[in-house]
Amino acid sequence: MSAPARTSWLLLVTLFLAPLLCAGCTASRRAAVPPDLVDRAEVPGFSSKIRYFPRDADDVDAFKQDFLQAAGQEMAYLRTQGRDGALPPAAFLAISGGGDDGAFGAGFLNGWSKAGTRPQFKLVTGISTGALIAPFAFLGPDYDDRLKQFYTTISMEDVAVERSMLSVLFDDAMADNAPLRDLVKKHITRDLVDAIAAEHAKGRILLVGTTNLDARRPVLWNLTKIAASRHPGALKLFHEVLIASAAIPGTFPPVMIDVEVDHKPFQEMHVDGGTVAQVFIYPAAIRITEFAREHGLERERKLYIIRNARLDPQWAQVDRRVLPIAFRAVSTLIQYQGIGDLYRIYSVTRRDDVDFNLAFIPATFNTPHTADFDTTYMGKLFQLGYDLALAGYSWHKEPPAIWSQETPSPEPVR
């Protein structure tokens, strides 16, 4: 079942089985953070701000302070390399969700490295499958082989194990993602997190998005600060955030994150960041160029977005039955949410004078997607992304909602 279909299934369960779900047994949890305390909840043991609500004024201010700190760290590092004067151009990378279509982004990054034109990114963001790609993308070409292995050798059994249909009534998900947890622990090691901490000292930032389902709010986790904290629980929290960002509601179990307010324990339920956005950059409330100019941090900025999805409307005859109609409607909603995210980001980059660049799966890719995490499908999609980047990708400078009819989709050059 595809990611959109799984989301559709969740919607149907909510519509038709809600009374049963309310009456049946449910998985236990600690009390959620009360609404008036949500903004004050913190992960125990971490002394500095490691996450942000991007629509909260105080958290936006916290992100601004972290932005300034990162700039100071970057300038100090550049001086150790004998580089004084104006700041060099900054490249941002945003990696979208897309399930096993993340093979496209993994291949694209590998091909970009091989082409020799891939920049080192000042800021990397990831959500859902993009969150799993983001740490490797952040650390650069030396980690391309791990990224390739992650997206070309795994199958569904490496990701999840289906539960009984009764789980719809009595459990928190239709599948157990313990295999994915094991996979994340295998690849996201202490050495990798230490390497990310070293990049934090150079003023670079890695953000991953989840959704706080209790509060219905997006959360941006600063993984570079978590890594640099050297907290004994940093590696575990790192794993939890990545798993949460890819935890499709209803399909995979939510991740319960322990927090506290005034030393009183609570628990937050976190699920797939794609529930609120398919891709993101910095909080839109920050006019980043204007803010940077106020602090003498003028520089050229470029944003690269890798959208792990097609953006063309794929035609299919829909059976006149409840399930096919609902599946198709919800998958359409998700697709256009993703396009809306691109348009929102484009508006922010226009406002902030950030150069906009978009890559995505072209309409010409026609390998059948018959099952989730099919290695044949993922291998061909990886190769497509690789070929496109290696050939010198023609980045789209606008989101699809304002393309002309004549705008061609870039093709791989073989």
Side-chain angles (χ1 to χ4, degrees), residues 96-97 104 278 305-309 311 334-335 338 358-361:
S96 84
F104 172 76
Q278 295 294 306
I305 301 174
I306 298 178
R307 177 75 174 107
N308 292 303
L311 299 180
I334 293 170
Q335 180 181 18
L358 170 66
F360 59 93
I361 301 173

Side-chain angles (χ1 to χ4, degrees), residues 311 358 360 396-407 409:
L311 299 180
L358 170 66
F360 59 93
H396 284 270
K397 308 301 290 185
E398 297 174 333
I402 53 177
W403 291 342
S404 68
Q405 292 292 328
E406 292 77 26
T407 302
S409 295

Side-chain angles (χ1 to χ4, degrees), residues 179-398:
L180 179 60
R181 283 183 170 274
D182 292 340
L183 198 63
V184 167
K185 290 177 181 179
K186 175 183 175 182
H187 289 278
I188 306 297
T189 62
R190 170 60 63 185
D191 288 345
L192 183 142
V193 172
D194 287 345
I196 290 173
E199 296 306 308
H200 171 267
K202 300 174 185 177
R204 299 178 63 213
I205 301 172
L206 171 62
L207 301 177
V208 161
T210 66
T211 300
N212 180 331
L213 205 57
D214 297 316
R216 272 189 170 177
R217 297 171 76 173
V219 182
L220 308 185
W221 296 82
N222 191 326
L223 294 188
T224 27
K225 289 188 73 175
I226 293 173
S229 72
R230 307 296 180 178
H231 187 278
L235 181 60
K236 180 178 184 295
L237 181 59
F238 212 100
H239 293 158
E240 294 297 298
V241 170
L242 293 181
I243 294 295
S245 187
I248 301 169
T251 299
F252 297 148
V255 174
M256 308 307 299
I257 295 181
D258 292 329
V259 296
E260 62 181 22
V261 180
D262 297 332
H263 304 292
K264 184 176 181 179
F266 297 99
Q267 212 169 42
E268 295 174 345
M269 179 180 288
H270 286 258
V271 298
D272 194 332
T275 305
V276 292
Q278 295 294 306
V279 66
F280 74 97
I281 47 170
Y282 50 85
I286 300 174
R287 296 177 176 267
I288 200 162
T289 300
E290 179 181 307
F291 177 71
R293 187 180 298 120
E294 292 172 356
H295 292 84
L297 300 172
E298 295 185 77
R299 70 196 310 177
E300 178 187 350
R301 294 178 176 86
K302 290 188 176 184
L303 169 65
Y304 298 93
I305 301 174
I306 298 178
R307 177 75 174 107
N308 292 303
R310 292 171 55 149
L311 299 180
D312 57 300
Q314 296 170 267
W315 185 92
Q317 178 170 309
V318 182
D319 290 344
R320 192 172 177 179
R321 293 183 293 114
V322 170
L323 291 180
I325 292 170
F327 289 170
R328 184 70 170 174
V330 175
S331 64
T332 301
L333 174 66
I334 293 170
Q335 180 181 18
Y336 282 91
Q337 177 200 0
I339 293 174
D341 290 334
L342 296 177
Y343 201 89
R344 171 179 48 79
I345 291 173
Y346 177 71
S347 298
V348 171
T349 59
R350 287 286 296 270
R351 181 197 69 189
D352 293 344
D353 195 27
V354 176
D355 185 36
F356 179 94
N357 299 272
L358 170 66
F360 59 93
I361 301 173
T364 51
F365 182 69
N366 55 15
T367 299
H369 189 201
T370 57
D372 285 342
F373 296 96
D374 174 68
T375 53
T376 299
Y377 173 86
M378 293 174 70
K380 291 184 177 180
L381 190 53
F382 179 96
Q383 190 63 47
L384 170 69
Y386 183 92
D387 291 342
L388 285 171
L390 181 61
Y393 191 74
S394 297
W395 293 90
H396 284 270
K397 308 301 290 185
E398 297 174 333

Side-chain angles (χ1 to χ4, degrees), residues 149-170:
Q149 181 183 359
F150 199 98
Y151 277 93
T152 61
T153 64
I154 65 171
S155 62
M156 190 62 193
E157 65 183 13
D158 299 306
V159 176
V161 178
E162 287 191 17
R163 292 172 173 170
S164 162
M165 286 300 295
L166 291 176
S167 62
V168 175
L169 302 179
F170 305 122

Side-chain angles (χ1 to χ4, degrees), residues 39-203:
D39 294 336
R40 296 174 53 201
E42 298 291 348
V43 179
F46 289 86
S47 56
S48 62
K49 191 76 173 177
I50 58 170
R51 61 184 192 164
Y52 322 95
F53 289 122
R55 298 169 189 169
D56 179 85
D58 288 341
D59 280 16
V60 168
D61 287 342
F63 185 89
K64 286 180 178 179
Q65 293 307 309
D66 285 341
F67 175 85
L68 291 177
Q69 180 185 357
Q73 290 170 316
E74 180 184 8
M75 289 187 290
Y77 171 72
L78 290 173
R79 284 194 293 271
T80 67
Q81 305 302 302
R83 299 172 62 183
D84 291 316
L87 286 168
F92 303 158
L93 174 66
I95 313 170
S96 84
D100 55 6
D101 282 345
F104 172 76
F108 194 97
L109 287 163
N110 271 258
W112 202 354
S113 297
K114 186 69 174 179
T117 56
R118 175 177 164 184
Q120 183 182 74
F121 301 107
K122 167 72 173 178
L123 168 70
V124 175
T125 72
I127 209 157
S128 197
T129 199
L132 300 178
I133 296 172
F136 305 108
F138 180 79
L139 288 174
D142 288 346
Y143 289 78
D144 281 353
D145 286 343
R146 297 197 201 184
L147 191 54
K148 179 179 181 180
Q149 181 183 359
F150 199 98
Y151 277 93
T152 61
T153 64
I154 65 171
S155 62
M156 190 62 193
E157 65 183 13
D158 299 306
V159 176
V161 178
E162 287 191 17
R163 292 172 173 170
S164 162
M165 286 300 295
L166 291 176
S167 62
V168 175
L169 302 179
F170 305 122
D171 218 325
D172 59 358
M174 295 176 61
D176 182 355
N177 61 350
L180 179 60
R181 283 183 170 274
D182 292 340
L183 198 63
V184 167
K185 290 177 181 179
K186 175 183 175 182
H187 289 278
I188 306 297
T189 62
R190 170 60 63 185
D191 288 345
L192 183 142
V193 172
D194 287 345
I196 290 173
E199 296 306 308
H200 171 267
K202 300 174 185 177

